[in-house]
Every structure is written in C-alpha cells, then in structure tokens.
Amino acid sequence: MKFHFLSAAHLLLVYLLPLSIDQRHSAVRAGDIIDITSTVFDKLTDAIPAAYGDFNSDELTDVFVLRDNFHTLQILLGSDDKPLLREGPKCEFRRHKITSVVPGDFDGDAYMDVMFTVQPDGSDDARTYVYINWGAAEVMNCTAEDAKPLIEMVGQPLALDYDNDFIIDLFGMDTERKRTFWIFKKPDDHGQRGQFTVPMDGTHGAELSVPHSHAVLDLN
C-alpha cells in the first residue's frame, strides 16, 4: 500500500486546480483573491489541519484535523466533487489534549494507523504520552481514554523507519531524557501489537532540545 503525503502548498494546488477549471470562463484576473472555504470545507470551519495522507486508499488526499479545542481527532476525506473535504471517522477525548498527529502504518498490515500524542492532565513540563488509533479498512479504531499510553516520553517523537522494514518507528527522549528508538513490528501470533526500545549508542554532551528540530536524511 502506498501512502500519499503532501505539503500544505501541494494540497492547496490540488484543490485550486479544479476550482480554476470551473472558473475558466469567468472574469478572474491575476491577483484576485478567491474564497474557496465553502468549496473545500463546506460548513466545517472549526478544524485545525494537523497532517495529510490517503487514509482510505482512494488516491485522494485526506486531511487529519483537530477540533473541539484539540480534544477531537477527525479525518476529512478527500472528494473529487464539492465539498472537496468531507467529514469522516473521528475520535473524541474529553481528558486528552492532542499535541501532534502522525498517520502511517505502525504494524505492517497495510492499513493506515493514526499515531497521536497528548499532554497529560495537569502537566506543566514536556512529558508526552503516545497513543495509536489502529486502522482497519475505512474505519479508525479509537483508543480508549483510560488506556495506558504505548510510550511515555519527553518532547515530541520523530517518525522514521529505523530498521528498514517499511513499518514506522519513533525516535525521541524517554522519561529519563535518554535518546531512544521505539521499534514497531507486526503483531505476534496472538494478535498482540507492541514495540520495543533501543537506546541510542554513544555518549552525548547535551540533551535534545524541546521542541526538537530533528530531520531524516539519506547520507549515502
């Protein structure tokens, strides 16, 4: 399964292109500002874009948004007709305030999962809890609000493929502020998902900054 991730600029171009075709006979001049809010979002105006991907594998870009003051995670499904984004699956959390979203395959089943991080209630430091809403066909299995977090860490994770198995892994600082990789694998014979930790080798003279400024590069 191929996931399609686009930048905000590319996404805007994808949505502006059909609009410009519809208006090719109208008197639109260069430099004119066109309000396409209703064309793209219809009446949905309280959503904050957090990530992009093709959740339902229809080759149309979907948008992962946060609503209700960062307590609701929802997928707006791309459409080739107006409105270009339509409300899809959502997960609501009363106690969790979501701080980041990373869509991708975290268990190797070819379905897009949705990893999200939350800030614990009453926390005034950089501690972060990591959860995953496991994907299945065109639904998103919402994590129970009282579920134990998969990972407790400091700061935000960086998504990468540590062991080249086409399953997303994470990098960041554990609760002891040590640099750590969290490696995800396919479920075991009993269907249990999980991850294991790999401490980063070597000694480091300073802690990672929070928020981080990591990036993934192919140096060879």
Side-chain angles (χ1 to χ4, degrees), residues 18-29:
L19 182 65
S20 63
I21 293 175
D22 290 343
Q23 296 180 341
R24 61 184 179 275
H25 298 301
S26 63
V28 178
R29 297 170 299 177

Side-chain angles (χ1 to χ4, degrees), residues 145-209:
E145 193 149 14
D146 58 353
K148 181 180 178 180
L150 291 176
I151 299 171
E152 296 185 29
M153 62 184 304
V154 175
Q156 294 293 326
L158 172 70
L160 73 168
D161 184 2
Y162 175 82
D163 51 357
N164 298 316
D165 62 354
F166 300 100
I167 298 176
I168 297 180
D169 309 307
L170 299 176
F171 170 75
M173 286 192 297
D174 64 13
T175 53
E176 297 180 356
R177 295 184 175 268
K178 295 180 179 179
R179 304 181 188 199
T180 304
F181 293 96
W182 287 272
I183 312 302
F184 289 83
K185 293 293 184 182
K186 293 183 178 181
D188 59 24
D189 294 338
H190 302 287
Q192 296 297 315
R193 299 181 178 91
Q195 74 286 331
F196 61 93
T197 59
V198 177
M200 190 173 185
D201 294 333
T203 57
H204 310 282
E207 293 182 355
L208 298 177
S209 60

Side-chain angles (χ1 to χ4, degrees), residues 12 31 59 71 87 94 97 101-102 111 126 147 153 155 160 214:
L12 184 60
E59 299 186 0
H71 288 279
E87 292 192 48
R94 294 300 93 195
K97 186 172 184 179
V101 177
V102 178
Y111 291 120
M153 62 184 304
L160 73 168
H214 315 328

Side-chain angles (χ1 to χ4, degrees), residues 75-94:
I75 303 173
L76 303 184
L77 300 174
S79 171
D80 53 9
D81 196 8
K82 300 177 183 179
L84 300 177
L85 291 175
R86 304 185 179 191
E87 292 192 48
K90 67 178 179 180
C91 297
E92 298 175 306
F93 305 99
R94 294 300 93 195

Side-chain angles (χ1 to χ4, degrees), residues 99 117 125-130 153-157 172-174 177 209-212:
T99 55
T117 63
D125 58 13
R127 186 175 294 264
T128 298
Y129 291 168
V130 177
M153 62 184 304
V154 175
Q156 294 293 326
M173 286 192 297
D174 64 13
R177 295 184 175 268
S209 60
V210 178
H212 70 71

